[in-house]
Amino acid sequence: MVTTLGKLPSGEILKRISQSEHFQSGRFQNIERTEMLAPNSSYWKMAIKYWQKPNSIRPSSPVPSSKINLKELDDRKPQYIWFGHSSYLLVAEGKKILVDPVFSGYASPISFAVQAFEGTDVYLPEDMPELDILIITHDHYDHLDYETILKIHSKTKKIIVPLGVSAHLLSWGVPLEKIIELDWFESQEIVSGLRITATPTRHFSGRSVLRNKSLWCSYVLKIGEYKVFIGGDSGYGSIFETIGKKYGPFDLAFLECGQYGDDWPSIHMRPEETALASSQIGAKSFVPVHWGKFILSLHPWNDPIKRVIVASQMMKLNLQVPKIGESFSFNGSGSVDGWWNFQ
């Protein structure tokens, strides 16, 4: 358990954190004022709701998925494979980039809690190809998975993390020379033709009761001629318009579209806000993620995709809805056969 929790920043990492303009009063701060809970909510009220949770939050049948050989992908063809929730593999310009992989089967410090839906865990760390970059958006368990990191860091050239998250990786045996740690608006060219810039989100961090000791990020990824936005977790806010004006437009964007609730409206987007954020950053196509694998809220498991489809159609946006495990083109359109249409 202690190992799974990771480690708080100290030493040189803490020294660098203390120099960040986004670190104030001993913790990182959102750019916009962000309350963790709605004014009329409380953790006690939320506990009661979870105790009375409806059956619709979990699919009644295994989630449809596919499995392909990731080690034989044509890395000259711009494509991605979504693994459910916020995990996906990007392939373009001869590069392979993995984002927020969670392949342990659960998103929690303990294995019997927050288990993946049946049918969604078709890929294992062993199925991953050699990676040019592993990208972590923040240190929550549904994005930074201890068991997965242990098994894939040896086949990864560089690991990109928000400021402070390196403390976890180092405690798990990841070599320091592999880690690139970024503050908001910092940019680095990883190799020729591959540049990454850390950008803000409206969220929080922490793997225990202590919060916001490390940063949380979205990223602007430039791969050759393509520009991809990796949204991470975020509530809706003015930051999307700022990112769009400064870095957009984007060929493809991955935006969170699930785990929202009336009790925490500022830290996760509702589907209609996801569509609006896509428009504001100037995404030519966007993929709704952060849904379809874990229960972290009380909405029906497929409510996010149903609502974001309606919102996208009204706004005339190019929405992509891949099935878990299938390859999808950067410039593709539409969805895969309505595979989510069951309770």
Side-chain angles (χ1 to χ4, degrees):
M1 170 73 80
V2 174
T3 302
T4 305
L5 289 174
K7 190 175 181 180
L8 293 175
S10 61
E12 289 299 315
I13 302 172
L14 186 57
K15 182 179 179 181
R16 185 176 176 224
I17 285 173
S18 65
Q19 297 169 346
S20 170
E21 64 178 292
H22 308 114
F23 190 77
Q24 302 168 13
S25 303
R27 62 187 62 228
F28 284 101
Q29 307 287 339
N30 282 291
I31 290 177
E32 296 179 62
R33 179 178 173 84
T34 301
E35 301 294 342
M36 293 297 299
L37 296 180
N40 62 343
S41 183
S42 70
Y43 290 107
W44 173 247
K45 290 180 180 179
M46 288 195 303
I48 294 175
K49 290 180 181 179
Y50 271 90
W51 184 257
Q52 301 170 339
K53 58 184 178 291
N55 292 331
S56 60
I57 65 175
R58 179 177 291 276
S60 58
S61 304
V63 175
S65 59
S66 298
K67 188 172 183 179
I68 60 177
N69 189 336
L70 303 176
K71 298 174 183 178
E72 295 183 355
L73 293 172
D74 182 353
D75 58 16
R76 297 165 297 178
K77 174 186 174 183
Q79 59 188 299
Y80 66 91
I81 297 89
W82 179 54
F83 303 118
H85 202 64
S86 294
S87 305
Y88 44 94
L89 177 70
L90 298 165
V91 179
E93 302 290 333
K95 304 295 188 295
K96 295 183 176 69
I97 300 158
L98 184 61
V99 180
D100 286 352
V102 179
F103 299 132
S104 65
Y106 60 97
S108 165
I110 47 179
S111 61
F112 57 81
V114 197
Q115 294 186 328
F117 298 155
E118 187 178 355
T120 62
D121 252 352
V122 291
Y123 288 91
L124 298 173
E126 293 75 17
D127 298 315
M128 296 301 111
E130 296 291 318
L131 300 168
D132 293 280
I133 301 179
L134 168 62
I135 294 175
I136 302 297
T137 61
H138 61 299
D139 73 354
H140 285 161
Y141 290 94
D142 57 321
H143 296 261
L144 177 61
D145 182 41
Y146 166 70
E147 291 186 20
T148 301
I149 294 295
L150 290 186
K151 294 177 180 178
I152 66 171
H153 76 79
S154 62
K155 62 170 67 177
T156 305
K157 293 178 183 177
K158 293 292 181 182
I159 304 177
I160 316 298
V161 299
L163 188 53
V165 174
S166 63
H168 298 309
L169 302 187
L170 292 172
S171 74
W172 297 338
V174 178
L176 178 61
E177 58 269 20
K178 282 193 174 188
I179 303 170
I180 297 175
E181 201 167 45
L182 297 175
D183 198 351
W184 288 338
F185 303 113
E186 286 187 339
S187 182
Q188 188 162 144
E189 186 171 41
I190 310 304
V191 294
S192 178
L194 180 56
R195 173 172 288 276
I196 189 164
T197 303
T199 45
T201 74
R202 195 179 184 195
H203 201 54
F204 68 106
S205 67
R207 295 173 73 85
S208 65
V209 294
L210 292 177
R211 290 177 172 168
N212 299 355
K213 298 298 184 178
S214 64
L215 195 58
W216 47 98
C217 288
S218 57
Y219 297 96
V220 174
L221 186 63
K222 187 74 168 60
I223 320 172
E225 63 181 78
Y226 299 100
K227 194 185 295 182
V228 178
F229 183 64
I230 295 169
D233 279 7
S234 183
Y236 181 74
S238 62
I239 189 58
F240 292 105
E241 186 174 0
T242 299
I243 290 172
K245 289 178 178 178
K246 188 174 179 67
Y247 302 104
F250 296 92
D251 296 287
L252 183 65
F254 295 85
L255 294 166
E256 75 143 58
C257 183
Q259 319 320 317
Y260 44 83
D262 292 338
D263 292 301
W264 53 89
S266 297
I267 57 174
H268 284 299
M269 289 190 284
R270 295 172 176 84
E272 295 76 18
E273 293 172 324
T274 301
L276 183 57
S278 171
S279 175
Q280 290 181 331
I281 65 172
K284 297 175 185 177
S285 298
F286 83 99
V287 186
V289 297
H290 208 243
W291 74 284
K293 188 169 184 174
F294 300 116
I295 295 174
L296 297 169
S297 185
L298 294 174
H299 58 66
W301 80 275
N302 54 6
D303 187 57
I305 197 62
K306 290 180 177 180
R307 287 171 58 176
V308 79
I309 286 174
V310 173
S312 298
Q313 290 172 341
M314 292 180 63
M315 299 178 67
K316 295 181 170 52
L317 302 175
N318 187 24
L319 173 70
Q320 297 184 7
V321 189
K323 184 186 294 183
I324 289 176
E326 289 191 342
S327 172
F328 214 91
S329 171
F330 275 22
N331 56 8
S333 62
S335 60
V336 181
D337 66 27
W339 55 266
W340 57 86
N341 283 321
F342 65 95
Q343 187 50 60

